[in-house]
Amino acid sequence: MLQTLSIRDFVIVDQLNLEFEAGFTVLTGETGAGKSILIDALSLALGARGEGGITRAGCDKAEISAQFDIANEHGLQAWLTENELPYDDNQLLLRRVIYADGRSRAFINGLPATIQQLRDVGEFLVDIYSQHAHHSLLKSSYQRQTLDQYAGLTEPAAAVASHFHIWIALNQRRMEMERNAAAYQDELAELRDQVRELEQLAPSLEEWEPLQQEHSRLSNGASLLAGGEACRDLLSEGEFAALNQLIAAQHKLQGLSEYDSSLKEAVDALDSAVIQLEEADRFLNRYLQRAELDPERLNEVELRIQALHTAARKYRVRPEELDALLKQKQARMAELDDAALDGELARKEVEAKSIYMSAAEALSAARKLAAAKLSEQIAIEMQRLALAGGVFSVDLSSQEPAASGLEQVDFLVAGHAGVTPRPLSKVASGGELSRISLAIRVVTAQQGDISTMIFDEVDVGIGGGVAEIVGQLLAQLGQRRQILVITHLPQVAAQGATHWKVSKALVAGNTLSSIQTLDQAARIEEVARMLGGVEITDTTRQHATEMLAVAGN
């Protein structure tokens, strides 16, 4: 559930801190006061794309924060854990900062996040329906998604699409193999020779660097031995060996330090130097004892390097890339071998088609059951919305196997009794479409698990008694969900459990928008304004009072 929304320096809002309640909240105000700004701000916090000009004039950035209670959002909790985003006390804070130059930053519970992650989170939390959203209902794909969401078939539908793509990919591979059989046979023969050659060479990703180092050591063996002996002479074996010189100086200073204790620091430094030189001398001694010239091994290493270089030049790769090249050619050869086996690829294609058909047929059966139930429930709501005698039907017509399944989903409607239902796009007027859209929202919301639903002027084209019924339906939704509705209709506004008013004013030469929660007296005035226009009379106020009383407010 949405708990708080904080907006700063956004369009015509300087600073706004809102606390939300459960249930049905209405938001009203004059046209242009900034009602939709709240929805726009929340949408940005949920990962919507930001457009230019959304920071308040004279400000370098806009900031939006939305806090949610996610105690019952188990799917979201799993998503947060999977993405290593901590949440404490079942609280989630989404924050978006948008700069005047168009740059944007996102945060989830204080940690940097991507805009896509905000969108992913938003899909668990909020559904926003705009006044233009009902036009989406005219699209067959949207109608299919609506049915699947209502029936809880989103995951099975996604599985059917995945099985379809696997089947089609195998089908295309088989057809390609059949068209190019001769060319593939030639390629396979060449691959077998190349793989055989590379397998005999047996290149290794970890081999090249150590081989280079060993070659450097073996090819410079004489220089290493001579240099090591020379260094030992300088350190300990020669007439003027450094160790002998240091030890002599060490003894001399030890004696002098008895007369002046400040020399003790120099004595300690020489002690350390003697120890380090002795360690270096012992290391060189061990190294020279082990070191030897090995022309046979040097010859082996040079031959191996030459073989790797020759293969690398032949295949136009670096020597260290030969191992990856071998794996690539082995994979391609296995692919062509599968195709060359009698009927193997065709068998896999048949198996993939069978898996798809089984899943698609199960999906079709589930859709058929859900379609009848959805049709009945939406038709009932249509009667309440002044579409008496109207018929709504979810039509499932067979189609060729596709990613969407074995049937096309179409919403058919008849606005009056005795009329044959026809596709929604061909028969519904603007007002009818708004009402049918709302009926669908009311029915499908009962099955969904989104806790917060926002309706932005979805009651356009509706008035009179129908508007009151729309308000009742939204109030009905508010008993199970958190509902926020932006409306111009007093009949809808009167039904809200909480009423906010948006207004704008000129402050120090700047137009600023603000939101206030209305008490009962202020609410009567606002509903009366919506009823009566410019001049509010006592009769209008009485009408507003009665309207609120009938709604239980």
Side-chain angles (χ1 to χ4, degrees), residues 245-403:
Q245 301 287 340
L246 279 177
I247 291 171
Q250 180 187 38
H251 292 322
K252 184 69 174 175
L253 278 176
Q254 283 176 341
L256 294 174
S257 66
E258 296 179 0
Y259 306 121
D260 186 350
S261 60
S262 66
L263 292 172
K264 185 68 169 59
E265 183 177 347
V267 173
D268 292 341
L270 282 176
D271 289 345
S272 177
V274 168
I275 291 170
Q276 291 182 27
L277 284 180
E278 287 175 342
E279 180 61 31
D281 183 58
R282 284 192 293 270
F283 174 83
L284 284 172
N285 185 42
R286 291 193 300 271
Y287 177 82
L288 292 170
Q289 287 176 356
R290 294 194 309 269
E292 60 180 351
L293 298 177
D294 190 348
E296 291 185 5
R297 176 57 184 165
L298 176 60
N299 184 57
E300 291 176 4
V301 170
E302 287 180 338
L303 288 175
R304 179 62 176 171
I305 289 176
Q306 182 179 0
L308 291 172
H309 269 302
T310 300
R313 284 194 299 271
K314 178 178 179 178
Y315 293 108
R316 298 181 180 180
V317 296
R318 293 193 296 270
E320 59 268 32
E321 295 174 344
L322 286 169
D323 180 56
L325 178 68
L326 172 58
K327 291 182 173 62
Q328 176 187 335
K329 290 185 177 296
Q330 287 172 330
R332 177 60 175 165
M333 188 173 74
E335 181 182 339
L336 294 177
D337 273 335
D338 279 348
L341 293 175
D342 185 25
E344 179 64 17
L345 192 56
R347 185 194 64 77
K348 289 183 177 180
E349 179 190 350
V350 170
E351 181 181 354
K353 180 180 180 181
S354 176
I355 293 172
Y356 164 78
M357 291 299 295
S358 177
E361 287 168 359
L363 178 63
S364 296
R367 280 175 173 170
K368 184 176 180 181
L369 290 174
K373 185 178 178 182
L374 181 60
S375 299
E376 180 181 355
Q377 291 183 340
I378 292 176
I380 291 172
E381 297 300 338
M382 285 172 60
Q383 313 309 308
R384 298 177 60 187
L385 291 168
L387 291 169
V391 176
F392 185 90
S393 174
V394 180
D395 180 66
L396 304 179
S397 55
S398 298
Q399 65 175 13
E400 290 296 318

Side-chain angles (χ1 to χ4, degrees), residues 109-281:
N109 278 345
L111 297 178
T114 65
I115 303 303
Q116 184 57 51
Q117 285 178 317
L118 286 186
R119 290 194 196 104
D120 292 343
V121 169
E123 290 179 359
F124 287 99
L125 294 171
V126 180
D127 270 341
I128 299 177
Y129 304 106
S130 72
Q131 58 184 307
H132 305 296
H134 55 257
H135 293 295
S136 300
L137 282 173
L138 303 180
K139 300 177 182 177
S140 179
S141 60
Y142 190 86
Q143 295 172 9
R144 183 183 66 250
Q145 291 170 14
T146 300
L147 174 62
D148 287 343
Q149 289 170 0
Y150 167 78
L153 297 173
T154 301
E155 289 187 8
V160 165
S162 176
H163 294 319
F164 176 80
H165 293 311
I166 292 171
W167 166 37
I168 293 303
L170 287 168
N171 173 265
Q172 291 174 345
R173 277 181 55 195
R174 178 185 59 78
M175 294 178 65
E176 182 185 1
M177 291 292 183
E178 291 176 354
R179 285 194 303 268
N180 302 284
Y184 284 142
Q185 285 298 324
D186 292 342
E187 182 185 356
L188 182 58
E190 183 181 11
L191 277 171
R192 284 173 177 157
D193 291 340
Q194 293 174 343
V195 167
R196 187 183 305 112
E197 179 184 14
L198 288 171
E199 285 178 341
Q200 289 174 352
L201 183 64
S204 169
L205 180 64
E206 296 80 15
E207 174 188 25
W208 180 249
E209 190 62 31
L211 198 63
Q212 293 282 84
Q213 294 175 0
E214 185 179 9
H215 180 265
S216 175
R217 177 173 58 79
L218 291 172
S219 61
N220 293 283
S223 298
L224 288 170
L225 287 171
E229 292 287 356
C231 288
R232 284 214 69 208
D233 283 343
L234 291 171
L235 286 174
S236 62
E237 300 297 323
E239 182 179 356
F240 301 102
L243 265 172
N244 295 335
Q245 301 287 340
L246 279 177
I247 291 171
Q250 180 187 38
H251 292 322
K252 184 69 174 175
L253 278 176
Q254 283 176 341
L256 294 174
S257 66
E258 296 179 0
Y259 306 121
D260 186 350
S261 60
S262 66
L263 292 172
K264 185 68 169 59
E265 183 177 347
V267 173
D268 292 341
L270 282 176
D271 289 345
S272 177
V274 168
I275 291 170
Q276 291 182 27
L277 284 180
E278 287 175 342
E279 180 61 31
D281 183 58

Side-chain angles (χ1 to χ4, degrees), residues 475-529:
Q476 176 184 324
L477 276 180
Q479 295 173 6
R480 294 179 298 274
R481 301 275 194 277
Q482 182 185 43
I483 305 296
L484 178 63
V485 176
I486 296 176
T487 182
H488 285 290
L489 298 179
Q491 298 94 326
V492 174
Q495 297 288 336
T498 305
H499 192 152
W500 289 351
K501 180 181 178 181
V502 182
S503 58
K504 65 179 180 181
L506 196 63
V507 180
N510 295 314
T511 300
L512 299 179
S513 181
S514 62
I515 298 180
Q516 299 85 33
T517 302
L518 302 184
D519 59 19
Q520 188 64 18
R523 191 169 185 184
I524 291 171
E525 287 295 313
E526 176 63 6
V527 174
R529 179 196 66 78

